[in-house]
Amino acid sequence: MHVSRLPLKSLSAAAVTIGSFDGVHLGHQQIISRLTQYAQQQGVKSVVVTFEPQPREYINPENAPARLSSLVDKARRLSTLGVDHLVVLPFNAQLRNLSAHEFVEQILINRLNTQWLQVGDDFRFGADRKGDSQFLTQYPFEVVEMTSHCANDGQRISSTRIRNAIHQHDFELAENMLGEPYSLTGRVIYGRQIGRTIGVPTANILLPHSKLATVGVFAVKTKIDGRIVHGVANLGTKPTVGDTRNWLESHLFDFDGELYGARLTVALVKRLRGVQTFDNLDALKQQIQNDIDAAKAYFSQPTEVKLSND
């Protein structure tokens, strides 16, 4: 899949869909499936247009929702679904101020040569908010409106509903809507190595966004070289050592390999407790051992949540 920060100029014709696609959940996957099917049938390229930052992060950053997936994770998921091109539009003042008509003319027609456009039933765009499926019918491309996709309980799947499930630590419900366990992905870097000094080495991933869908200590599953490794992870800030950045620090059970520089996908399967501040490292060490014991007890149960190998 080709990823570009600006619209392409070289496409002869394209089947296009537009959206944030945060989490690339089952509803999004239904949209992508129809997009790629049409593109293959018509012999055109399939194009997903998204935004970075997401519009709400630019317009009202303090109240913007937590991300379900980073741009890298989003690109990975879209690539596995067969998308030919991911166009990442920088959401800035210039883009925000485009009218719906200007967006269609400048982006969809002049740059992407859109032949077929698929939008959701709640889709709106343009500074004047006139851009909906009815507005789009005046342009020389076919417009298809997709209805919402529902979960097994009959309720609409949405990124908001998934965030709420994760916030409430209902990872089974989140997985049912995402199509895979809720996970975080990143590259392992050197931390302060405090865990190593107290006998609990961790794989440390610095997360790119200031807001998380949940924080705390979790039983986790990490995929390493094709196998699943159980562990326990702290997700969030590190108040005991005064670090206000968001980290994912995973201690992996029965693993003794080198992980620095590796890109890991860590699935949260059970919340054990919230983030705490400790008076000293001895107290932290004791609590970490308690967390390890709790995670191992969870994994010993026959009803543990399985991490997909997809």
Side-chain angles (χ1 to χ4, degrees):
M1 182 181 73
H2 181 270
V3 180
S4 62
R5 284 281 178 175
L6 291 173
L8 306 174
K9 297 181 179 180
S10 58
L11 297 182
S12 58
V16 179
T17 190
I18 307 171
S20 293
F21 294 99
D22 190 23
V24 194
H25 55 61
L26 291 178
H28 296 145
Q29 291 174 41
Q30 184 183 47
I31 291 173
I32 299 303
S33 176
R34 187 167 183 181
L35 172 78
T36 56
Q37 286 177 13
Y38 178 88
Q40 291 170 1
Q41 291 168 358
Q42 300 299 318
V44 301
K45 296 298 184 181
S46 58
V47 179
V48 171
V49 177
T50 192
F51 309 95
E52 187 68 28
Q54 294 185 3
R56 283 183 288 180
E57 292 173 343
Y58 178 85
I59 295 169
N60 190 3
E62 292 185 0
N63 294 317
R67 290 263 189 131
L68 292 175
S69 57
S70 67
L71 179 60
V72 171
D73 291 334
K74 186 186 302 183
R76 175 186 63 84
R77 295 291 302 278
L78 293 172
S79 179
T80 62
L81 294 172
V83 172
D84 292 317
H85 295 277
L86 173 62
V87 174
V88 183
L89 297 179
F91 197 89
N92 51 28
Q94 180 180 2
L95 185 64
R96 181 186 181 183
N97 290 329
L98 287 181
S99 68
H101 175 72
E102 289 170 332
F103 184 89
V104 171
E105 289 288 338
Q106 295 180 25
I107 307 297
L108 297 181
I109 295 177
N110 294 342
R111 302 299 290 272
L112 292 180
N113 196 16
T114 300
Q115 173 179 303
W116 184 89
L117 178 66
Q118 180 178 218
V119 296
D121 53 8
D122 58 353
F123 180 71
R124 297 288 186 280
F125 70 97
D128 48 17
R129 305 300 290 168
K130 289 182 179 178
D132 57 16
S133 58
Q134 181 61 38
F135 172 84
L136 290 165
T137 58
Q138 65 185 292
Y139 295 97
F141 48 74
E142 182 180 354
V143 179
V144 176
E145 183 176 272
M146 287 287 289
T147 57
S148 298
H149 187 65
C150 293
N152 295 336
D153 60 6
Q155 296 189 47
R156 178 178 181 269
I157 294 176
S158 69
S159 298
T160 298
R161 190 171 175 224
I162 294 170
R163 288 188 201 97
N164 291 338
I166 294 168
H167 183 70
Q168 295 166 9
H169 317 127
D170 189 343
F171 297 116
E172 183 177 1
L173 176 59
E175 180 177 353
N176 288 339
M177 292 187 285
L178 286 166
E180 66 177 23
Y182 173 66
S183 59
L184 297 103
T185 301
R187 198 167 299 281
V188 178
I189 64 174
Y190 285 94
R192 297 188 183 186
Q193 298 189 311
I194 293 173
R196 192 173 296 275
T197 65
I198 59 176
V200 188
T202 57
N204 303 310
I205 297 172
L206 181 60
L207 300 172
H209 299 292
S210 59
K211 290 185 179 181
L212 300 174
T214 186
V215 297
V217 175
F218 302 84
V220 299
K221 291 185 177 182
T222 303
K223 187 184 296 185
I224 302 175
D225 296 330
R227 70 186 182 99
I228 302 303
V229 180
H230 294 171
V232 64
N234 182 81
L235 174 61
T237 61
K238 299 190 282 188
T240 300
V241 296
D243 192 336
T244 59
R245 296 173 295 176
N246 283 319
W247 292 84
L248 177 62
E249 303 173 289
S250 302
H251 173 65
L252 306 179
F253 305 152
D254 304 317
F255 181 83
D256 196 30
E258 181 61 67
L259 290 175
Y260 289 115
R263 189 168 188 84
L264 299 183
T265 296
V266 182
L268 309 185
V269 296
K270 173 69 175 179
R271 190 174 192 260
L272 304 176
R273 64 173 175 87
V275 174
Q276 295 177 238
T277 303
F278 299 93
D279 294 332
N280 52 62
L281 289 182
D282 287 337
L284 173 61
K285 181 179 179 180
Q286 181 58 56
Q287 182 58 59
I288 290 174
Q289 186 58 55
N290 294 342
D291 297 334
I292 291 172
D293 293 341
K296 288 183 174 180
Y298 170 77
F299 285 123
S300 70
Q301 299 173 4
T303 55
E304 64 184 34
V305 178
K306 302 298 183 183
L307 174 62
S308 169
N309 287 317
D310 294 340

